[in-house]
Amino acid sequence: MTEILIDNAITDTETARLAEPAFSGALSFMRTRYNKDVTGADVAILGLPFDGASSNRPGARFAPRSIREASASFDCEPQYPSMLDPFRTLNAIDFGDCFIDFSRQLEAQPQIYSTVLSLLKRCAQVISIGGDHSVTLPILQAYAELRGPVAIVQFDAHPDVWGDSPNRVSHGTWMRQAIKKQCVRKDNSIQVGIRTYVADDIGMEVILAYDAIDLSVVELADRIRSRVGTAPVYLTFDIDVLDPAYAPGTGTPVAGGFRTDHALRTLWELRDLDWCGMDLVEVCPPYDLGGTTALAGATVVQHYLQILAAKKSTFGHVTGQQFVGLD
Ligand SMILES: [Mn+2]
């Protein structure tokens, strides 16, 4: 028989992409090519194996592997709902994971910052997978350093604006710090799905969970869009915005959240925003059931990649606010 080479994560080229079994092979995100050189890429995908700042259940360090494994089912075909194979259009590279020394927890944030900074000097966007929510702060610092402050759309059960003190890293304080460090365009930012209380409110626009769930997808997207406007916008998607019935594998679950489809459809509805990057955080595989949470997380990223692919196939590039009509 002819020898057939699988492992697109290693072998992928423009001309020789092969659908490979979902249950075997090297696991990059959606089997896209692994490369430490991201020069000129539209997207670098970066794993963040860190859970040292979780206030409750640790385990998000395992999320990059788990999300890559869940994403294997999306290999090599046109994807729903765009019906595009995003990698036919996008130059997307899986950079692998950020190095984080488990014995030097306070060095994790500077490590993430310098890794993202280095990636953003070479490619258009970074998508990070895994980690507790503390990872978002150094990512935003890198964005702000190179490109100025960004608007934020935060899907989350928690506002993450709890108070903090120096030399303390928590997954519940990054937003307060990001605003203090002027990484965020607060007037264009919005938090969606919140169902926890912080006394010291920072005046961020919030759509609470029950209100968000009561709105149709189009109404919810309109509320978000009217806040963000034409600003470059960064998506931080905490998987705990979903109800624990849909995402049990997370660090600090809160009942009463979104169904998976409501969140996915809202993101898809917002494909005209000027997205500049995203993270997918708080997937905690040790508490997952049947890979449900990892699959939901992988699907959020799969939708985001489709948005970029749709933009690029229509406009030739992935930035800017453009209506992407695929219906
Ligand atoms: Mn959260």
Side-chain angles (χ1 to χ4, degrees):
M1 289 187 73
T2 320
E3 184 190 23
I4 298 173
L5 287 176
I6 59 168
D7 295 317
N8 285 327
I10 304 163
T11 61
D12 186 18
T13 64
E14 288 290 315
T15 50
R17 272 186 106 228
L18 186 73
E20 59 185 298
F23 51 83
S24 72
L27 288 174
S28 60
F29 189 81
M30 288 176 75
R31 310 286 197 170
T32 192
R33 181 167 38 102
Y34 269 126
N35 202 327
K36 290 297 180 189
D37 180 5
V38 301
T39 308
D42 296 310
V43 179
I45 297 163
L46 172 68
L48 295 176
F50 179 73
D51 56 21
S54 182
S55 60
N56 191 3
R57 313 195 300 198
R61 69 178 60 183
F62 302 111
R65 279 189 182 168
S66 190
I67 292 166
R68 285 190 178 99
E69 182 179 355
S71 77
S73 63
F74 296 133
D75 176 36
C76 228
E77 289 175 332
Q79 301 292 314
Y80 182 79
S82 69
M83 308 307 183
L84 301 170
D85 175 353
F87 302 134
R88 290 278 170 216
T89 312
L90 288 179
N91 179 5
I93 290 169
D94 192 328
F95 180 78
D97 288 353
C98 180
F99 171 72
I100 290 168
D101 184 340
F102 72 92
S103 69
R104 298 176 192 272
Q105 298 277 306
L106 286 177
E107 289 181 12
Q109 291 208 324
Q111 195 74 59
I112 293 166
Y113 169 78
S114 56
T115 302
V116 174
L117 196 70
S118 154
L119 291 173
L120 285 176
K121 286 175 180 170
R122 292 169 177 79
C123 70
Q125 298 202 11
V126 172
I127 296 176
S128 76
I129 52 174
D132 66 44
H133 218 151
S134 69
V135 303
T136 303
L137 178 62
I139 297 170
L140 293 178
Q141 288 177 281
Y143 267 89
E145 171 71 24
L146 289 177
R147 302 181 187 179
V150 291
I152 308 273
V153 173
Q154 178 187 355
F155 285 90
D156 203 331
H158 315 85
D160 293 344
V161 294
W162 279 278
D164 208 1
S165 51
N167 292 328
R168 189 170 172 274
V169 181
S170 158
H171 70 158
T173 59
W174 63 270
M175 178 57 103
R176 177 179 295 275
Q177 293 186 354
I179 289 169
K180 203 184 295 176
K181 293 174 191 296
Q182 300 183 314
C183 302
V184 176
R185 293 168 68 150
K186 190 171 143 189
D187 291 345
N188 299 107
S189 297
I190 189 162
Q191 300 176 312
V192 183
I194 307 297
R195 49 194 190 277
T196 46
Y197 175 73
V198 179
D200 187 8
D201 186 20
I202 56 163
M204 177 70 86
E205 170 108 353
V206 171
I207 307 179
L208 296 169
Y210 298 164
D211 298 328
I213 292 165
D214 266 347
L215 296 173
S216 72
V217 166
V218 170
E219 289 166 340
L220 178 57
D222 282 347
R223 282 277 307 274
I224 297 168
R225 184 182 294 107
S226 68
R227 179 72 173 173
V228 172
T230 56
V233 57
Y234 180 89
L235 172 67
T236 181
F237 196 102
D238 184 330
I239 204 70
D240 70 25
V241 76
L242 304 182
D243 191 87
Y246 299 93
T250 192
T252 44
V254 186
F258 278 60
R259 289 193 325 244
T260 311
D261 72 281
H262 200 87
L264 290 171
R265 288 162 62 209
T266 303
L267 175 57
W268 183 242
E269 188 67 25
L270 289 168
R271 61 192 179 275
D272 55 327
L273 296 190
D274 186 9
W275 297 109
C276 64
M278 75 160 286
D279 60 61
L280 189 284
V281 294
E282 294 287 347
V283 169
C284 183
Y287 292 90
D288 207 357
L289 294 171
T292 312
T293 315
L295 179 61
T299 310
V300 171
V301 178
Q302 175 244 26
H303 273 50
Y304 183 87
L305 283 167
Q306 289 181 77
I307 288 172
L308 297 189
K311 276 180 188 273
K312 193 173 179 193
S313 67
T314 310
F315 302 103
H317 49 88
V318 295
T319 55
Q321 182 167 41
Q322 307 126 339
F323 177 70
V324 179
L326 293 165
D327 300 327

